[in-house]
Amino acid sequence: MATVYNWQLGRAMTFPFEEKHPRRQFAFVFNINRCIGCQTCTMACKSTWTFSKGQEYMWWNNVESKPFGGYPQHWDAKLLAMLEAANPGRQYWKTAAADVGSKPYGTFEGKTIFEAAPLHIGPEEAQVALGYLPSDAEWRHPNIHEDTATGGRWNEGQHGASAELPEHRVWFFHLARICNHCTYPACLASCPRQAIYKRPEDGIVLIDQERCRGYRKCVEGCPYKKTLYRGTTRTSEKCVGCYPRIEGSDELLGSDGAPCETRCMSACVGKIRLQGLVAIAEDGTWSHDPANPLCFLIRERRVALPLYPQFGTEPNGFYIPPRWVPRGYLHQMFGPGVDHALEQYSCPDRELLAVLQLFRTQRQILFRFAIERGPKVAEVPVILPSGREKVQGPVRPEPIEQPEEQSGCAACPFHS
Ligand code: SF4
Ligand code: SF4
C-alpha cells in the first residue's frame, strides 16, 4: 500500500497505487435545495447510454429520496455500519485542526474504506476496499420510498410549524447521484484485472470493456455503488462522464469543439447542476483559481461539500446541503463543513449570489466568471441557521487572479 494525501480528510491515507493526478479533473456541484426530483436527468442519461438489452436496471444517474431511499437500497447505511463495525466508536472528525488550504474540514480521525479493509476478513480474505456486493433485490427499485418523509412530531398542534427553518420536523430531500470520478477510485483499486483507469486529461474514470472479465470487484468496492454489472456482456459498466461532450467531439452539439456539460447536467430542469474541469497541480492540490465557478463554490467559499468524504475516495461530486434537514444527518453525509456551508448559502453576499445564478445558463463548460459591479439596490436582513442576524454583505473586494492555462498528457496516472 502507498501513502497518498487526501485534502478532504485533511491527512494522508493508504491507497494501493502511488499518488498521481490528472492535469484537470471532472467535477460538479449539485444544489440539493433546488432539486425537485423530476428525474429528467435520470432519463436523459438512460436514453443516451443505458437503453439496451441487459441494461434495464442500470441507472448511471439516479435521484433518490433521503433518508429512506437508495439505489441500491441502503447502500450508504450498510457501508457506514461496516465501517463502524471495523472501527467502533472512532469514526469521527477533529474539526479544531481545520485549515482552509490543506484541510478545510479539519481532520478525519477514523478509518477510510481502504484502511478498514484489512480489519474485515470476508469469505475471500481481506478486501482492497471495504465493501459488499448488493443483492439483485437491492438493485430492483431506482427510487423506492420516493418522497417518503421522516419525522415523528407532526401532530403537536402547531399546524405549519414543521416548515420552519432551521430544521423541519418532517423532512426528506432528493439526492441526485452519478459517479464521482474519484481522485482515489475504489473501483479502480479493487479491480484485479486493472481494467479501470483514470484519464489524465480530465480525471474521468472508465472501465476498459476489453479487459473486464465481470468479476464485479468494482461493484463490491465502489462505496457509492456506481459501477454496475451487465449480464448480457458479463462486464461491468459505469458513467463515462459523457466524454465525447467533454472532449467537444459530439457532432450533435456543433463543430466548434467547445467542451460541453454532460447530458444529465444539461437536461436539469431544477437548474441544480454546475459542472466543470478544475486544474490540478502536480501534488494533487487544486490550483488556486477563484474565478473558476467550481473552485469558487468548493474551495473559496466552501458552500459545496463532498458526499461522504470519510469513505476516503476523495469524490469530485460536491453538494450544497439542504437547509431544512437535521444537522446530525447532514454532518454524517457531508462532514463537518455543513454549518459553514449553510451559513454561506442562507445569506449569500452579492458575489456568491451571482455565481449561484450560473447553474444551467449554458451547456458549454464554464471556466471563468467575472462580475461587473453595479449600484447597490437593497439590503435584506436574514436570520442565519445559528440564529444570528446578517445583512447581505458587499461584494468581496479583492481582485480575482487569472491562472495560466493547463494542457493534458497521454497516459492513465495510476497505471503508467
Ligand atoms: S464513485 Fe465509485 S465508480 Fe465512480 S470513480 Fe468513485 S469509486 Fe469508481
Ligand atoms: S433533472 Fe435536476 S431537478 Fe430534476 S431530478 Fe434531476 S437533478 Fe433534480
Side-chain angles (χ1 to χ4, degrees), residues 177-194:
R177 300 201 299 119
I178 64 170
C179 166
N180 294 293
H181 298 279
C182 305
T183 303
Y184 304 114
C187 56
L188 180 152
S190 302
C191 176
R193 291 274 304 162
Q194 296 203 345

Side-chain angles (χ1 to χ4, degrees), residues 49 199 202 204 206 240-249 262:
W49 296 108
R199 303 206 318 175
D202 51 23
I204 288 176
L206 296 177
V240 296
C242 287
Y243 66 83
R245 295 170 70 95
I246 308 295
E247 292 170 355
S249 58
T262 64

Side-chain angles (χ1 to χ4, degrees), residues 36-93:
I36 55 174
C38 63
Q39 306 284 0
T40 311
C41 50
T42 307
M43 295 316 297
C45 176
K46 185 129 196 83
S47 60
T48 307
W49 296 108
T50 63
F51 54 82
S52 300
K53 198 171 176 185
Q55 296 178 309
E56 292 83 357
Y57 290 92
M58 194 175 274
W59 304 90
W60 291 355
N61 180 107
N62 77 293
V63 184
E64 56 202 43
S65 298
K66 287 295 181 195
F68 298 122
Y71 176 73
Q73 242 178 305
H74 313 310
W75 62 274
D76 47 354
K78 281 182 122 171
L79 189 57
L80 288 167
M82 290 176 74
L83 281 164
E84 183 61 29
N87 190 31
R90 302 187 60 79
Q91 293 293 97
Y92 59 83
W93 294 81

Side-chain angles (χ1 to χ4, degrees), residues 150-154 156 158 161-164 167-171 324:
T150 187
R153 291 179 290 158
W154 177 252
E156 286 184 359
Q158 292 176 287
S162 173
E164 280 179 5
E167 292 180 14
H168 290 189
R169 297 177 182 198
V170 178
W171 60 273
W324 59 90

Side-chain angles (χ1 to χ4, degrees), residues 270-348:
K271 301 189 176 188
I272 86 155
R273 296 175 175 229
L274 185 69
Q275 182 207 325
L277 293 166
V278 295
I280 303 292
E282 269 186 23
D283 65 357
T285 53
W286 286 29
S287 299
H288 181 63
D289 189 4
N292 178 306
L294 287 196
C295 294
F296 178 82
L297 293 169
I298 297 161
R299 301 308 305 269
E300 290 291 304
R301 293 305 179 89
R302 290 175 287 141
V303 70
L305 304 168
L307 179 65
Y308 292 118
Q310 65 268 44
F311 290 167
T313 63
E314 206 182 280
N316 290 300
F318 298 83
Y319 293 81
I320 301 178
R323 287 186 301 161
W324 59 90
V325 172
R327 298 300 181 264
Y329 190 87
L330 294 180
H331 290 153
Q332 176 179 251
M333 185 169 266
F334 300 111
V338 164
D339 299 298
H340 174 84
L342 288 177
E343 291 267 313
Q344 291 269 304
Y345 185 69
S346 299
C347 184

